[in-house]
Amino acid sequence: MITTAPGPTDSLTDLAGLTVVHNQRRDDDSSLGAGAATGCTVVLAPAGVVAGVDVRGGGPGTRETDLLDPSHSVQQVNAVLLTGGSAYGLAAADGVMRWLEEHGHGIAMGLPGQVVPIVPGAVIFDLPVGDWKIRPDADFGYLAAESASRECATGTVGAGVGARAGGIKGGVGTASVVITDGPAKGTTVSALIVANPVGSVFDPRTGLPWGVGSEGEASFGIGMPIPCELDAANAIGAKGTVLNTTIGVVATDAALTKAGCRRVAVAGHDGLARAIRPAHSPLDGDTIFALATGTHTPESAIDVPAAFPADLPILDAVCAAAAQVVERAIVKAILDATSVAGIPSYRDLFPSAFV
């Protein structure tokens, strides 16, 4: 078992070379069916990073995931789009591409400035929250990439504005750890997740988020809710929509191949399943991307049998940490979310947990 410590900012941006930007439209008087309540979130890696993906849900909405197959030619991506708007929202990637092209980022394919940016993406289904016709488009993506604010904001921002987690408000969450022992010592692993599942994110017996099980509720600054709050929360019932989805990015500064990144994405889904029940349902399109910046060098050589990849011990440790940060990011998404369109947040339902 690896040991870890929280990263300096406990966010995806603890990795040099990655930035997180959001763009959203949110009307204060939005409701289910009226007003604006959607957005997109972009993880920018303009210089290019190795990437992989793993899709586990039965109803995904994705772009450029075939390109990330380890057997396929392109080795790096320049951004990852996480967006609301269901399949319509994939158009936001066009705006991210336009911004990257204007700044000269992408695969050089000819004369100076002739580049092809690589921007995979995935969507959540948030169309019933707010006006069905208001959803991210190319301008959404461009304005996100152009955003002057590159702080890793969480909760009801970006792609999390219209997110619902079971019957309560979902959102964006992030977390990071630094591995403190073993062959991967000093390696950073982080996650950014948009929580919008059909499944429940809290235990109906206690009211605590499922994802606090690994580290305990005190590590998230919360306590046990009181019984009357639990009764009211359980009375909300199921989400009541056939389309949902939790999506996100896991990233590390380890030097991994595309195959290694895919394995990290697979491991990230373990964290998703710890924090959401059920996970990976036919009603979700659960998708996790994995990025490797390759900026961290192991402190010492690792003796590995010739039949195995040389980085196998590092990959093993990164995978364990990937599950940890995804689990924590989902809990933080729920705790940081605020109500939109009358959808109650965890804080609304369980105020005693924060006393």
Side-chain angles (χ1 to χ4, degrees):
M1 180 176 178
I2 64 166
T3 60
T4 61
T9 67
D10 199 18
S11 74
L12 188 86
T13 52
D14 281 335
L15 292 170
L18 301 182
T19 55
V20 176
V21 290
H22 304 286
N23 186 35
Q24 61 268 329
R25 285 187 61 189
R26 175 184 173 186
D27 293 336
D28 291 340
D29 60 350
S30 63
S31 62
L32 299 182
T38 191
C40 67
T41 297
V42 182
V43 178
L44 287 172
V49 291
V50 180
V53 69
D54 189 52
V55 181
R56 291 292 171 101
T62 57
R63 165 194 167 108
E64 297 276 40
T65 50
D66 281 351
L67 175 145
L68 299 179
D69 186 304
S71 68
H72 293 173
S73 300
V74 172
Q75 297 298 301
Q76 295 189 331
V77 305
N78 303 104
V80 175
L81 169 73
L82 308 172
T83 183
S86 190
Y88 297 106
L90 290 172
D94 294 338
V96 180
M97 285 188 69
R98 175 158 53 95
W99 184 89
L100 288 164
E101 181 187 27
E102 288 178 1
H103 291 78
H105 302 301
I107 302 172
M109 299 295 289
L111 298 174
Q114 293 181 337
V115 295
V116 179
I118 304 299
V119 184
V123 305
I124 65 167
F125 181 75
D126 63 351
L127 293 174
V129 181
D131 187 330
W132 184 281
K133 294 288 188 178
I134 300 175
R135 56 244 182 173
D137 56 16
D139 287 340
F140 262 81
Y142 184 90
L143 291 172
E146 183 78 349
S147 172
S149 174
R150 295 178 184 270
E151 295 182 2
C152 198
T154 57
T156 306
V157 294
V161 167
R164 286 184 287 178
I168 71 173
K169 187 69 184 72
V172 174
T174 188
S176 74
V177 295
V178 179
I179 299 171
T180 56
D181 66 352
K185 182 178 180 180
T187 300
T188 299
V189 183
S190 61
L192 180 85
I193 302 292
V194 184
N196 182 61
V198 69
S200 170
V201 291
F202 67 87
D203 186 340
R205 300 164 300 179
T206 66
L208 291 173
W210 290 115
V212 305
S214 296
E215 300 182 20
E217 60 269 25
S219 66
F220 294 94
I222 61 172
M224 193 76 70
I226 59 178
C228 64
E229 293 173 353
L230 180 59
D231 291 342
N234 285 333
I236 292 175
K239 187 172 181 179
T241 176
V242 297
L243 296 174
N244 306 275
T245 297
T246 295
I247 56 179
V249 173
V250 180
T252 180
D253 55 6
L256 301 180
T257 63
K258 284 177 74 177
C261 283
R262 183 179 186 279
R263 181 52 53 187
V264 171
V266 169
H269 280 285
D270 292 345
L272 190 155
R274 294 173 192 167
I276 297 168
R277 303 184 187 187
H280 310 135
S281 79
L283 308 180
D284 290 288
D286 298 340
T287 299
I288 293 181
F289 298 92
L291 308 178
T293 66
T295 57
H296 176 71
T297 302
E299 294 182 4
S300 59
I302 305 166
D303 186 19
V304 179
F308 296 99
D311 65 351
L312 186 59
I314 294 173
L315 177 60
D316 179 56
V318 171
C319 285
Q324 180 184 2
V325 293
V326 169
E327 181 181 24
R328 289 180 55 221
I330 292 171
V331 173
K332 290 171 68 178
I334 303 310
L335 298 183
D336 292 349
T338 54
S339 178
V340 166
I343 304 165
S345 70
Y346 186 89
R347 288 178 178 268
D348 294 332
L349 293 169
F350 299 111
S352 67
F354 297 88
V355 175

